[in-house]
Amino acid sequence: MIIYKTFQFDSAHYLPNVPQGHKCGGMHGHTYTLTVYISGKPEEHSGWIIDYTDLKNGIKPFLDILDHKLLNEISGLENPTTENLAVWLWQMIKPIFPDLVKIELKETPTSGVIYEG
C-alpha cells in the first residue's frame, strides 16, 4: 500500500545554465507542490502505515529551508531546476523516511517531475 501527503511552498530562483535570453534565466518564482509517497503495510494496531502528522513534521524542516527563499543560495541547488530540486528533496527525505518510494514535484499546475530515487 502507498500513502501520500501533499505540501506547498513558494520559492524564487533563476536558472544559470539556460541560453542567453531564456525567460527562466531571470529571477522568478513558483508555488511548488510536493507530494511524498510512502510505501508499507498498515500496522495492525493503528491500521496505518505512518501517522500523517509524523510525516508532516518530518517534512517541515526541509520546507522551511526552501519556503520564501532564493533556491540558488541553498547548498546543492545552485542550478535549481525542478529535476535538481526533486533529487535534493529526495536526499533530505529518504534518510528520515526509508519507505519513501516516490516524490512528485510540480513547479506549476501543469509542469513537474516524478522522482523515484
Side-chain angles (χ1 to χ4, degrees):
M1 184 174 294
I2 298 173
I3 60 116
Y4 67 91
K5 185 150 183 66
T6 300
F7 307 87
Q8 283 194 324
F9 60 96
D10 298 296
S11 299
H13 73 154
Y14 59 90
L15 300 183
N17 299 334
V18 296
Q20 182 81 18
H22 191 286
K23 68 180 182 176
C24 292
M27 181 140 8
H28 61 285
H30 296 286
T31 297
Y32 290 92
T33 302
L34 170 67
T35 305
V36 175
Y37 296 84
I38 306 288
S39 178
K41 182 178 177 186
E43 195 268 330
E44 190 173 318
H45 178 72
S46 68
W48 59 32
I49 294 169
I50 187 172
D51 184 334
Y52 287 111
T53 300
D54 293 340
L55 183 54
K56 181 176 113 179
N57 292 339
I59 300 297
K60 185 181 182 315
F62 310 120
L63 299 184
D64 288 345
I65 293 170
L66 303 171
D67 192 40
H68 285 81
K69 302 293 189 319
L70 176 60
L71 296 178
N72 301 72
E73 294 178 348
I74 297 169
S75 180
L77 291 176
E78 294 79 11
N79 181 27
T81 62
T82 305
E83 295 88 341
N84 287 340
L85 181 54
V87 171
W88 186 92
L89 282 161
W90 181 276
Q91 292 171 345
M92 297 294 121
I93 296 168
K94 185 71 172 174
I96 307 301
F97 297 104
D99 294 328
L100 178 70
V101 293
K102 175 171 71 170
I103 62 172
E104 181 175 354
L105 182 64
K106 293 182 178 182
E107 70 174 26
T108 70
T110 61
S111 300
V113 62
I114 295 170
Y115 185 65
E116 298 176 338

